[in-house]
Amino acid sequence: MTPSLTDRLRDYARFERVLAAVLSLTPLFLIIFDGGMVRSSISEYYDMDLEQIFYVLLTVAAMLFIVNGVIKKEHSYNTTLGVLLAGVILFNLDDTNLIHNFFAITFFAGNAIVIAFFSKGALRFKGTLLGVLGAAVVLFLIFDWFDVFWLEWVSLAAIAVHYILDSFDTVQYDAVRRGEQPTLGIEG
């Protein structure tokens, strides 16, 4: 039996959740595959011995955003975020520092804007996520208590949590009554 469109969309939403979880664990994978070394930023892993780990993980994350934005028209901002993340990958920190930093800062700021203004989540949840991000930024900028690596990890975790929770109500199906045409709506 061929799976219905609803089943395929639900499977895709589950797959997106797995990829978002991998996104949140990307810094951990980078540390593990770099022999336990914690660098001052995620971007600094581009030249690790197993550099393909860096490129594969971040490329998968960029494609997650791009595909989500293409499939879900209301999430077209994710296409832009995916392109920004691709810029982080394409322009390395050492050779193209200004361009790289533009893409990195715009990617993280763009995600905060999406969570704040485009998310359908509960106000309290959005406030908590943004509060955690804001506190991390303040601690980093004003007190310089930790490297940007940890700020990036907190941001990726917040992005992944938002992404995962947002994907749960992706597929909506209304049962067909006599005389009606079947409809399948894809939210968000």
Side-chain angles (χ1 to χ4, degrees), residues 157-174:
I159 292 164
V161 166
H162 172 259
Y163 205 99
I164 290 167
L165 293 175
D166 194 49
S167 75
F168 276 108
D169 292 325
T170 300
V171 178
Q172 180 180 28
Y173 174 74
D174 295 321

Side-chain angles (χ1 to χ4, degrees), residues 19 22 27 62 103 118:
L19 293 179
V22 169
F103 280 107
F118 296 102

Side-chain angles (χ1 to χ4, degrees), residues 89-147:
I89 301 162
L90 291 171
F91 300 99
N92 74 55
L93 186 61
D94 293 332
D95 299 328
T96 52
N97 189 286
L98 289 175
I99 298 169
H100 173 86
N101 286 337
F102 166 79
F103 280 107
I105 291 167
T106 308
F107 170 76
F108 284 112
N111 275 292
I113 290 167
V114 166
I115 292 170
F117 299 108
F118 296 102
S119 172
K120 295 179 183 176
L123 188 57
R124 191 168 75 181
F125 172 73
K126 290 184 343 180
T128 301
L129 270 183
L130 291 170
V132 168
L133 288 174
V137 168
V138 167
L139 292 173
F140 171 73
L141 292 175
I142 295 176
F143 298 108
D144 195 27
W145 285 359
F146 47 83
D147 288 328

Side-chain angles (χ1 to χ4, degrees), residues 7-84:
D7 291 336
R8 287 184 283 172
L9 288 170
R10 282 193 183 114
D11 290 343
Y12 176 73
R14 285 186 201 113
F15 182 61
E16 276 189 318
R17 285 182 216 124
V18 169
L19 293 179
V22 169
L23 171 66
S24 71
L25 296 175
T26 291
L28 177 62
F29 294 136
L30 293 173
I31 291 168
I32 290 169
F33 285 102
D34 197 31
M37 183 188 306
V38 178
R39 299 186 183 204
S40 63
S41 121
I42 291 172
S43 297
E44 289 185 10
Y45 287 90
Y46 84 94
D47 65 353
M48 62 193 261
D49 288 340
L50 294 170
E51 63 190 28
Q52 62 270 27
I53 300 296
F54 169 84
Y55 289 107
V56 166
L57 289 171
L58 291 182
T59 300
V60 167
M63 290 308 298
L64 171 67
F65 282 97
I66 291 168
V67 171
N68 180 276
V70 168
I71 289 177
K72 299 176 183 176
K73 292 185 183 358
E74 291 177 10
H75 287 192
S76 59
Y77 49 77
N78 275 342
T79 301
T80 302
L81 293 171
V83 170
L84 290 169

